[in-house]
Every structure is written in structure tokens, then in C-alpha cells.
Amino acid sequence: MNNSVGNTARLLGAGLRALLVLTIVCGVIYPLVVTGIAQVAFSDKANGSEIKSGGKVVGSELVGQTYNLPKKDPNNADEAAQPDLKWFQPRPSNGLGANTLNTQYQLIISGATNLSGDNEKLIKQVKDAKDAVVKDNSTAGYQVNPADVPADAVTSSGSGLDPQISPAYAKLQVHRVAERNHLDVKQVEKLVSDNTSGRILGFMGEPGVNVLKLNIALKELTQK
């Protein structure tokens, strides 16, 4: 009996010591080391790839956001948000052509509806989004050809959080942005070109334009 109790006590003691050591190593030392390395070697990415404007954090390079006009009634949840057309607009995330569960670039929601390509609801959403893109981006001196509307202008990303648009969609918005901000078209075209990133290592992925970075550059241009 005494030997049994003594063995049990030794086993419990060994287990508790192992638990304490592993807790310190895995729960304290390892996280601190990894965090320290991340802050030294990859501080930008470790802190969320923050984007600053005017000395303030205005968003993340990894997450998209909307550029809408203020609601007439902020307390009305049913009032549809209207895009502020003086800014470059992101991929749809407001129900127009959205194939996502995320309706307002909400970080807590990420995922697709998985609607099939022949789903009537999705087809109507895409058609409505295409009509809106043509209407919003046609100006007195520039008429958008519906055939030139790229796919990302009428469909959201699978997560609904994509911060980038295609160069084609950015260029389609140039005339409208130039007109709304009283800028020369060439100036706005240069902004798009300067903020277009190429393929990773020259062959992976597709070229893209980060909408937040582009709008920050636009804001700086209009303030000169």
C-alpha cells in the first residue's frame, strides 16, 4: 500500500514538473522568441501590414474596405450604402454581383455563398452590377463599353475581403475619378500605373492594384 501511494506521488510530481517546464517553454519562451524574431525581421507583416496616411493607420494592405457616402439615416440598417464616386471603388461587397457572404467588408465574416455559375440569383446580381459599373463610370466624354467590364468589377472575391482590383478595372474608373476630382486623365492614369504591382517573382499570380494605396495617392494629388 505504501509503495503504491509513493509511486503515485512520484508520478504526479513528475507530471506536474513536466507540465510546468512545457508551459514555460511552449507557452512563454517560444512565443516571446517567435514574436521577437517577427518584430525584428518582419515588423511590417507582424503588425498586420498597416497602411498609414497623415501619420495615422487607415487600414491594412491585406484587407479591402468600402468608400461610400454617409447614410442619410445612420440608424437605418435597411438603407443601401451608395458609393462615393470620387474614389476608386473596390470589388463588389455590397450585394451587387457579390458571390460572397460578406456584404460590407466585415472582418468577422469571410466566405463565399458557393452559388453555381448558372444560379439565377447570381446571374441577376452580376447583370445588375455590370449595369451599375457602366452607368457610374460613363462620363460626358467617355462611354464605358459593357464588353470591357472585367469580371472583378461585378463579382466579389471568395472571402469578400480582397484589397486589390485588376489593372483593367482601375483603368475603367480613371475617367470618372478624373472628372469628379477635376484632374487631368493623364494624371490619374499615372496614379494607376504607379500603384500597379506585378506578378510575384515575375510569373506567379496576376498584376493587381491595392485600392487603399491608390486612393491615398489620389488624396495626396488632390491636396497639392
Side-chain angles (χ1 to χ4, degrees):
M1 179 66 70
N2 290 335
N3 288 338
S4 177
V5 172
N7 289 336
T8 300
R10 283 194 295 273
L11 289 174
L12 286 174
L16 289 173
R17 288 194 296 273
L19 175 62
L20 179 61
V21 170
L22 290 174
T23 299
I24 293 173
V25 173
C26 299
V28 179
I29 297 176
Y30 176 75
L32 288 176
V33 170
V34 171
T35 301
I37 293 173
Q39 288 295 329
V40 172
F42 312 101
S43 60
D44 178 59
K45 292 181 174 59
N47 291 321
S49 300
E50 296 173 338
I51 296 179
K52 294 182 179 181
S53 177
K56 297 180 180 180
V57 176
V58 294
S60 169
E61 188 177 349
L62 306 176
V63 181
Q65 55 184 274
T66 56
Y67 303 88
N68 295 329
L69 293 168
K71 286 187 174 184
K72 295 179 180 178
D73 182 3
N75 297 319
N76 184 3
D78 296 327
E79 181 184 341
Q82 299 298 320
D84 188 344
L85 297 179
K86 74 177 183 179
W87 302 110
F88 283 93
Q89 293 297 309
R91 298 185 67 160
S93 192
N94 59 0
L96 292 178
N99 57 344
T100 177
L101 296 173
N102 194 350
T103 59
Q104 289 294 329
Y105 282 97
Q106 298 176 32
L107 297 181
I108 198 171
I109 304 173
S110 176
T113 61
N114 294 325
L115 295 176
S116 64
D118 60 355
N119 183 279
E120 292 184 3
K121 180 180 179 181
L122 178 61
I123 292 173
K124 183 179 185 305
Q125 288 176 340
V126 169
K127 287 182 176 178
D128 289 344
K130 193 171 189 177
D131 291 343
V133 169
V134 171
K135 178 183 177 182
D136 289 344
N137 291 283
S138 293
T139 65
Y142 177 74
Q143 179 64 39
V144 175
N145 185 343
D148 294 334
V149 176
D152 65 307
V154 296
T155 58
S156 68
S157 62
S159 67
L161 299 174
D162 193 346
Q164 293 190 323
I165 57 176
S166 66
Y169 186 29
K171 291 175 182 177
L172 183 146
Q173 301 183 61
V174 163
H175 286 80
R176 182 252 300 161
V177 171
E179 181 181 84
R180 297 271 176 155
N181 290 281
H182 308 291
L183 296 171
D184 185 76
V185 171
K186 295 293 185 182
Q187 289 178 292
V188 183
E189 287 178 338
K190 186 176 186 304
L191 284 183
V192 172
S193 178
D194 291 344
N195 286 276
T196 299
S197 58
R199 293 180 172 88
I200 300 174
L201 299 179
F203 68 94
M204 290 191 294
E206 295 294 332
V209 182
N210 187 289
V211 183
L212 177 54
K213 288 184 176 180
L214 180 58
N215 279 332
I216 289 174
L218 173 62
K219 180 181 178 180
E220 292 174 350
L221 180 62
T222 58
Q223 292 178 341
K224 288 183 178 179

